[in-house]
């Protein structure tokens, strides 16, 4: 099947190659990088192996590159950073390793970037929120990324889905109140910490995110008391998960105002039962 894809490289006027959800096997041919007019390349949900050819960096008109759920491995080529018209880069559920090239974070046209469920390591670019001004979905979950979550993400004002869960991120959660379009914020299963009330200013800032439906901060190293501002979040809130941390003190009152809430796990908390005053029976089923 890889030979068939190689043959396509001679069709120089091709603008779209869409072979998702088939049974393609073999390596991705480097000759596909000769299709300089290609705009859409989707070979997701196949059995392709090998690496991403560096020649794909020559596809200057490409807007969608989707290789999710294949078996490609190796590192992400730095050359992909030359794809200045790319809108969607979907490489999730593969066996990619190494660091994410900073050149990827410089593709200012990107709106959707998903590298979830790979073996990627290293830190995020400190300027990621400035160099990806149009980003709407940034999904980097289930890798081995580390270091702080860049505060520059507060500048990515169009982002709707920010998923950095199941990595090794450390430090405090940056203030994200500028993200007025934010709907989902999964940051669970990291090593994010909070040792003072100042670290919980993130909740104060999230009160500006009026579309927010999901906050997942469980399985980190957050400590201290939740601030009263957690009851001033979006009325659309459906999932509020901060369990499996080191939270203590009293559970905030007025949580029953979130009538759309469907998930509020409270296991492994150190809340004082005497101070626990939120009537959970007021939640709708």
């Amino acid at each position: 099947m890889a030979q068939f894809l190689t043959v396509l490289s001679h069709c120089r006027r091709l603008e779209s190659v869409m072979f998702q959800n088939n049974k393609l096997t073999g390596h991705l041919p480097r000759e596909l990088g000769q299709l300089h007019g290609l705009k859409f390349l989707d070979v997701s949900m196949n059995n392709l192996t090998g690496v991403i050819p560096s020649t794909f960096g020559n596809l200057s008109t490409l807007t969608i590159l989707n290789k999710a759920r294949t078996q490609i491995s190796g590192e992400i080529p730095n050359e992909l950073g030359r794809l200045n018209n790319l809108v969607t880069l979907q490489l999730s559920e593969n066996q990619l390793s190494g660091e994410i090239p900073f050149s990827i974070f410089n593709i200012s046209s990107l709106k959707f970037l998903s590298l979830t469920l790979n073996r990627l390591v290293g830190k995020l670019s400190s300027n990621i929120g400035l160099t990806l001004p149009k980003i709407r979905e940034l999904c980097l979950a289930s890798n081995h990324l580390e270091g702080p979550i860049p505060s520059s993400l507060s500048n990515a004002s169009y982002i709707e889905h920010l998923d950095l869960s199941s990595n090794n991120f450390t430090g405090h959660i940056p203030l994200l109140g500028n993200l007025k379009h934010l709907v989902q914020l999964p940051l669970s299963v990291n090593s994010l910490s909070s040792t003072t009330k100042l670290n919980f200013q993130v909740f104060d800032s999230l009160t500006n995110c009026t579309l927010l439906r999901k906050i997942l901060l469980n399985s980190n190293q957050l400590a201290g008391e939740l601030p009263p501002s957690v009851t001033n979040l979006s009325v659309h809130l459906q999932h509020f998960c901060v369990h499996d941390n080191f939270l203590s003190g009293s559970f905030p009152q007025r949580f029953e105002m979130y009538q759309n809430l469907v998930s509020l796990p409270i296991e492994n908390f150190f809340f004082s039962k005497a101070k626990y005053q939120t009537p959970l029976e007021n939640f709708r089923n």
Side-chain angles (χ1 to χ4, degrees):
M1 295 301 291
Q3 291 180 343
F4 172 68
L5 291 175
T6 303
V7 171
L8 289 181
S9 65
H10 299 289
C11 304
R12 299 302 171 85
R13 294 187 178 182
L14 267 180
E15 295 185 357
S16 177
V17 175
M18 312 288 279
F19 287 108
Q20 65 270 33
N21 199 17
N22 280 285
K23 297 181 180 180
L24 297 178
T25 59
H27 294 190
L28 287 168
R30 64 189 316 274
E31 289 82 3
L32 286 179
Q34 300 172 11
L35 298 175
H36 300 300
L38 198 64
K39 296 180 179 178
F40 309 102
L41 176 56
D42 190 340
V43 292
S44 60
M45 293 181 287
N46 281 289
N47 297 315
L48 297 168
T49 56
V51 301
I52 301 173
S54 60
T55 55
F56 282 17
N58 298 327
L59 301 173
S60 59
T61 60
L62 201 64
T63 60
I64 294 178
L65 178 56
N66 189 346
K67 300 176 185 176
R69 299 178 64 182
T70 63
Q71 299 180 42
I72 54 174
S73 58
E75 298 186 359
I76 301 173
N78 186 63
E79 288 81 359
L80 293 188
R82 300 202 302 257
L83 303 178
N84 294 325
N85 292 299
L86 200 62
V87 174
T88 297
L89 179 57
Q90 171 59 277
L91 300 176
S92 61
E93 297 186 53
N94 283 294
Q95 301 176 35
L96 297 171
S97 58
E99 298 186 0
I100 305 172
F102 278 15
S103 63
I104 298 298
F105 299 132
N106 289 324
I107 306 176
S108 60
S109 57
L110 269 181
K111 293 183 179 179
F112 306 97
L113 173 59
S114 180
L115 305 175
T116 296
L117 279 167
N118 279 287
R119 302 170 182 173
L120 300 168
V121 299
K123 299 180 179 180
L124 299 183
S125 166
S126 61
N127 294 321
I128 185 173
L130 298 171
T131 56
L132 295 178
K134 299 179 180 180
I135 197 72
R136 293 185 180 179
E137 293 189 12
L138 179 61
C139 301
L140 307 177
S142 300
N143 282 286
H144 305 290
L145 301 173
E146 60 184 9
I149 296 177
S151 59
S152 67
L153 280 170
S154 63
N155 295 287
S157 57
Y158 292 102
I159 200 164
E160 300 172 8
H161 187 184
L162 176 60
D163 189 352
L164 304 179
S165 59
S166 299
N167 279 288
N168 299 312
F169 288 113
T170 56
H172 67 276
I173 304 168
L175 303 184
L176 301 172
N178 292 333
L179 308 184
K180 301 297 178 61
H181 299 278
L182 188 63
V183 176
Q184 300 186 54
L185 182 62
L187 301 178
S188 56
V189 195
N190 279 288
S191 297
L192 300 171
S193 60
S194 172
T195 55
T196 70
K197 290 184 178 180
L198 290 177
N199 294 138
F200 277 126
Q201 285 182 342
V202 61
F203 289 112
D204 297 339
S205 68
L206 288 177
T207 60
N208 296 321
C209 304
T210 57
L211 301 177
L212 197 57
R213 296 177 183 271
K214 180 182 291 186
I215 301 176
L216 306 182
L217 301 178
N218 55 287
S219 303
N220 278 286
Q221 297 181 20
L222 304 179
E225 294 188 32
L226 289 175
S229 55
V230 299
T231 58
N232 293 321
L233 299 171
S234 167
V235 296
H236 304 292
L237 193 65
Q238 295 179 343
H239 304 271
F240 185 80
C241 301
V242 293
H243 60 287
D244 196 18
N245 279 289
F246 301 97
L247 301 176
S248 59
S250 59
F251 194 88
Q253 300 182 42
R254 295 181 58 248
F255 239 79
E256 64 271 18
M257 65 171 289
Y258 297 124
Q259 293 297 301
N260 294 309
L261 201 63
V262 296
S263 178
L264 180 63
I266 59 173
E267 65 265 23
N268 296 329
F269 276 164
F270 298 96
F271 291 132
S272 169
K273 292 183 179 180
K275 296 181 179 180
Y276 185 87
Q277 300 176 1
T278 299
L280 293 181
E281 64 271 14
N282 289 337
F283 290 116
R284 293 175 182 171
N285 294 324

